[in-house]
Amino acid sequence: MLEIRNLSKIYPNGIHALDNFSLDVGVGESVAIIGGSGCGKSTLLRLLSGLETPSRGESRLDGRVLREPDAQLNMVFQEPRLLPWLTVADNIGFGLRHLPSAERRARIDNVLEAIGLANYGPRWVKELSGGQAQRVALARGLVTRPAVLLLDEPFSALDAMTRTELQDHLLGLWNSQQTTMLLVTHDIEEAAVMADRIIVMQPFPGRIFEEVRVDLPYPRDRTSGEVSDLKRHLSNLLTRSLSEGRKLNRA
Ligand code: ADP
Ligand code: MG
């Protein structure tokens, strides 16, 4: 469904941010991407979302080449990026302006309910806690029912408790909506509990180091032996990916 083929990005300053990245993601699949900072994770999502153009390679969604921002791919960032002069409902409904107002209202109410913020529609952004604001950002990403949700470290600015709460919440939404997710994170546990597959990346230039399939059912128990084993495995891979990246770079 989402086909990423040999994507490379060299920025005008000469930094080789992404090298020959290929990945196929199926409908409704959840793929996490982990890796040290600077290994091209955000670059990858920006290329997919049409915010940057690739130096080489291309991506396709259902056969269609992705060249510019596409209504079928929505991005959620680390910060909520809400518009402070709009209410919560209007922030969420921003991408629905083409719909008749009754349907727009119904969709907004629906997604507010789903993220646990029913009745928050008329509130102002500044009245929200950090966790609530990020919930609204998730709602805005989901309300247009995109085929693919791209998430760039969406919970890393939140405290640990809010983070796990939102991870569980997003998992529930993902389960009920069949959205395909590409989740960039540097939180190993987040990857371990949220993904069908985990891509470990390597820096200088950013590329795939290893892919890990996770065959554990959802929701996953964070305290279980399986999840602990997986976290240890991922942590080892990350350490190796960084040291091998450095070695290659010196060679
Ligand atoms: P990550 O999200 O994994 O931390 P990024 O994709 O943000 O990595 O960055 C990968 C590399 O590309 C880094 O070395 C970064 O400094 C560089 N980079 C990112 N964005 C730009 C840009 N707009 N112009 C030039 N270099 C960039
Ligand atoms: Mg990043």
Side-chain angles (χ1 to χ4, degrees), residues 11-18 35-44 46 52 152-153 184 201 204:
Y11 284 108
N13 61 2
I15 289 185
H16 197 159
L18 197 67
S37 107
C39 66
K41 306 182 296 297
S42 295
T43 297
L44 171 69
R46 286 208 301 269
E52 297 277 359
D152 195 353
E153 310 206 5
V184 161
M201 290 186 66
F204 321 121

XYZ file of all heavy atoms in Angstrom, residues 11-18 35-44 46 52 152-153 184 201 204, ligand 1:
210
model
N 20.785 17.267 1.773
C 20.342 18.660 1.906
C 21.315 19.584 1.174
O 22.460 19.208 0.918
C 20.250 19.040 3.389
C 19.029 18.455 4.074
C 19.144 17.418 4.993
C 17.756 18.951 3.795
C 18.019 16.886 5.625
C 16.629 18.421 4.423
C 16.766 17.395 5.334
O 15.653 16.872 5.946
N 20.854 20.797 0.843
C 21.723 21.736 0.120
C 23.056 21.993 0.830
O 24.057 22.318 0.192
C 20.887 23.021 0.062
C 19.475 22.560 0.161
C 19.502 21.331 1.029
N 23.090 21.811 2.168
C 24.351 22.019 2.892
C 25.296 20.813 2.784
O 26.336 20.777 3.417
C 24.071 22.335 4.367
C 23.339 21.192 5.069
O 23.072 20.150 4.477
N 23.020 21.389 6.329
N 24.892 19.795 1.993
C 25.761 18.637 1.780
C 25.515 17.493 2.746
O 26.087 16.417 2.576
N 24.692 17.705 3.768
C 24.434 16.620 4.731
C 23.611 15.519 4.069
O 22.554 15.775 3.494
C 23.715 17.147 5.988
C 24.702 17.992 6.810
C 23.171 15.993 6.828
C 24.158 18.476 8.125
N 24.147 14.313 4.149
C 23.473 13.151 3.573
C 22.574 12.560 4.662
O 23.002 11.740 5.461
C 24.531 12.144 3.126
C 24.010 11.126 2.181
N 24.806 10.400 1.341
C 22.744 10.708 1.924
C 24.070 9.568 0.615
N 22.812 9.740 0.962
N 21.325 13.013 4.700
C 20.442 12.705 5.831
C 19.818 11.319 5.711
O 19.554 10.666 6.712
C 19.353 13.766 5.937
N 19.583 10.878 4.475
C 18.917 9.588 4.282
C 19.513 8.934 3.048
O 19.710 9.592 2.034
C 17.412 9.815 4.094
C 16.512 8.587 4.271
C 16.542 8.118 5.727
C 15.065 8.917 3.888
N 16.022 5.140 16.302
C 17.407 5.403 15.929
C 17.881 6.660 16.618
O 17.062 7.497 16.998
N 19.170 6.783 16.786
C 19.746 7.938 17.457
C 19.393 9.230 16.739
O 18.898 9.213 15.613
N 19.670 10.327 17.392
C 19.285 11.597 16.776
C 20.188 11.878 15.576
O 21.366 11.515 15.553
C 19.292 12.699 17.838
O 20.367 13.538 17.653
N 19.612 12.424 14.534
C 20.368 12.731 13.332
C 20.433 11.589 12.323
O 21.150 11.687 11.333
N 19.682 10.506 12.544
C 19.786 9.400 11.589
C 18.721 9.476 10.489
O 18.522 8.515 9.761
C 19.819 8.043 12.277
S 18.310 7.632 13.102
N 18.045 10.606 10.389
C 17.180 10.826 9.227
C 15.723 10.463 9.430
O 14.959 10.414 8.461
N 15.316 10.257 10.668
C 13.924 9.847 10.923
C 12.932 10.934 10.510
O 11.961 10.670 9.800
C 13.731 9.498 12.410
C 14.719 8.464 12.930
C 14.474 8.103 14.385
C 14.662 9.232 15.390
N 16.029 9.769 15.470
N 13.195 12.162 10.957
C 12.279 13.246 10.600
C 12.345 13.535 9.103
O 11.332 13.842 8.478
C 12.619 14.525 11.377
O 12.415 14.320 12.757
N 13.535 13.418 8.547
C 13.685 13.621 7.102
C 12.798 12.645 6.342
O 12.095 13.030 5.401
C 15.164 13.443 6.697
O 15.936 14.449 7.352
C 15.353 13.543 5.192
N 12.810 11.381 6.759
C 11.981 10.369 6.101
C 10.504 10.780 6.124
O 9.832 10.762 5.088
C 12.166 9.018 6.798
C 11.207 7.916 6.355
C 11.510 7.498 4.919
C 11.275 6.711 7.286
N 9.256 13.754 6.574
C 9.026 14.971 5.786
C 9.006 14.668 4.293
O 8.264 15.286 3.531
C 10.085 16.026 6.115
C 9.859 16.688 7.485
C 10.420 18.101 7.522
N 11.852 18.098 7.245
C 12.783 17.996 8.188
N 12.445 17.885 9.445
N 14.051 18.011 7.860
N 9.434 17.850 1.992
C 10.753 17.904 1.358
C 10.685 17.053 0.097
O 9.884 16.126 0.029
C 11.839 17.282 2.248
C 12.103 17.950 3.561
C 13.042 19.145 3.442
O 13.516 19.439 2.315
O 13.280 19.764 4.485
N 5.841 11.916 14.333
C 7.245 12.221 14.599
C 7.456 12.500 16.087
O 7.246 13.611 16.541
C 7.707 13.411 13.756
C 9.230 13.513 13.729
O 9.900 12.746 14.457
O 9.746 14.363 12.977
N 7.843 11.473 16.827
C 8.044 11.566 18.274
C 6.877 12.276 18.957
O 7.073 13.253 19.686
C 9.360 12.303 18.566
C 10.514 11.723 17.766
C 11.864 11.931 18.426
O 11.895 12.433 19.547
O 12.864 11.565 17.803
N 7.710 7.450 14.387
C 9.110 7.711 14.709
C 9.222 7.976 16.203
O 8.445 8.745 16.760
C 9.620 8.935 13.914
C 10.876 9.501 14.553
C 9.877 8.553 12.471
N 17.354 2.382 12.781
C 18.149 3.133 11.807
C 19.540 3.437 12.327
O 19.811 3.373 13.518
C 17.431 4.422 11.410
C 16.211 4.117 10.565
S 15.420 5.586 9.932
C 16.687 6.219 8.833
N 24.641 8.759 9.669
C 25.835 9.168 8.880
C 26.139 8.251 7.713
O 27.182 7.593 7.726
C 27.088 9.293 9.757
C 26.874 9.879 11.106
C 27.199 9.165 12.258
C 26.351 11.156 11.255
C 27.006 9.706 13.502
C 26.156 11.703 12.510
C 26.488 10.988 13.637
P 16.405 12.684 13.205
O 14.969 13.075 13.085
O 16.638 11.216 13.082
O 17.050 13.226 14.442
P 16.800 14.439 10.935
O 16.091 13.829 9.796
O 16.171 15.579 11.616
O 17.206 13.305 11.982
O 18.233 14.925 10.443
C 19.140 14.093 9.742
C 20.382 14.905 9.407
O 20.030 15.908 8.462
C 20.976 15.636 10.593
O 22.370 15.631 10.443
C 20.424 17.035 10.457
O 21.306 17.986 11.005
C 20.304 17.211 8.958
N 19.174 18.083 8.581
C 17.888 17.938 8.949
N 17.102 18.870 8.367
C 17.931 19.646 7.617
C 17.741 20.785 6.772
N 16.532 21.309 6.563
N 18.824 21.305 6.160
C 20.048 20.757 6.345
N 20.308 19.692 7.120
C 19.272 19.131 7.757
